[in-house]
Amino acid sequence: MKALFVLPLMAALAACATPRERCVSEATRNLRVVDRLIVQSEATLSRGYGVEQYQVTRPTWRQCGWYPVRTRKGDIVRGAPRMCWDDEIETRERAVAVNLNEEAATLKSLRDKRASLARTANTAVAQCAATYPATR
C-alpha cells in the first residue's frame, strides 16, 4: 500500500530535478547501491548474524462500505457502516545464520568494487557538470 503512494511521489519529485541533477543521479546510481550493500554487510558482521525480512498475512476487521437506507421520501442514503474481513500484509524480521568468513569476503569485494565505481562516477559527474553548467 505504501508503494502505491511513494512511487508517484518519487516520480513527481524526479520531474522537478534539473537536467544536471538527473545526470548526476544517474551517474552515481550504482555507487549508491554498492554503498547501501556495504553498510548492510558491515552491520551483519558487527552483529554476527543476518536479518531476513518476511511477510505474513493476517485478517483485519475493516469498514468496507455502507449499507444503503431508504428515507421516507424514497431517497437512498448512506446508512450503517458495513464491516468486512480484509487481509493485511505485515513485514517482519528474523535473525538468520550467516557464514561470517563469506560475509567478510563479500565486504572486501564490495569495497574494491566501490573504489572502481567511484572513479567512474567522478568522471561521469565531471561530464555532467561540463554538459549542464550551474545556473543562477
Side-chain angles (χ1 to χ4, degrees):
M1 183 68 172
K2 290 179 186 176
L4 294 176
F5 175 73
V6 172
L7 289 176
L9 181 63
M10 288 176 56
L13 289 175
C16 296
T18 65
R20 181 178 181 161
E21 290 169 338
R22 285 192 299 267
C23 180
V24 169
S25 177
E26 182 65 31
T28 59
R29 175 175 287 141
N30 291 336
L31 187 61
R32 290 191 311 269
V33 170
V34 170
D35 283 342
R36 189 169 53 249
L37 291 173
I38 287 172
V39 168
Q40 288 174 353
S41 186
E42 287 172 341
T44 298
L45 286 172
S46 69
R47 276 191 312 267
Y49 61 89
V51 175
E52 174 184 67
Q53 289 187 339
Y54 66 101
Q55 294 181 332
V56 295
T57 304
R58 61 186 181 117
T60 305
W61 190 244
R62 296 181 189 243
Q63 180 181 341
C64 58
W66 298 90
Y67 286 108
V69 174
R70 189 172 300 272
T71 64
R72 290 183 182 161
K73 294 181 181 178
D75 297 333
I76 296 178
V77 296
R78 181 170 73 175
R82 182 179 355 179
M83 302 299 284
C84 305
W85 285 106
D86 192 15
D87 287 335
E88 183 174 281
I89 298 173
E90 184 176 294
T91 301
R92 297 180 182 173
E93 293 182 345
R94 62 180 160 216
V96 292
V98 294
N99 184 330
L100 296 178
N101 294 330
E102 286 180 10
E103 191 68 29
T106 300
L107 180 58
K108 182 185 179 317
S109 175
L110 284 170
R111 286 182 175 152
D112 293 343
K113 184 65 177 176
R114 189 202 185 287
S116 169
L117 287 172
R119 286 189 296 275
T120 305
N122 286 339
T123 304
V125 168
Q127 182 63 39
C128 290
T131 305
Y132 304 105
T135 57
R136 281 221 147 208

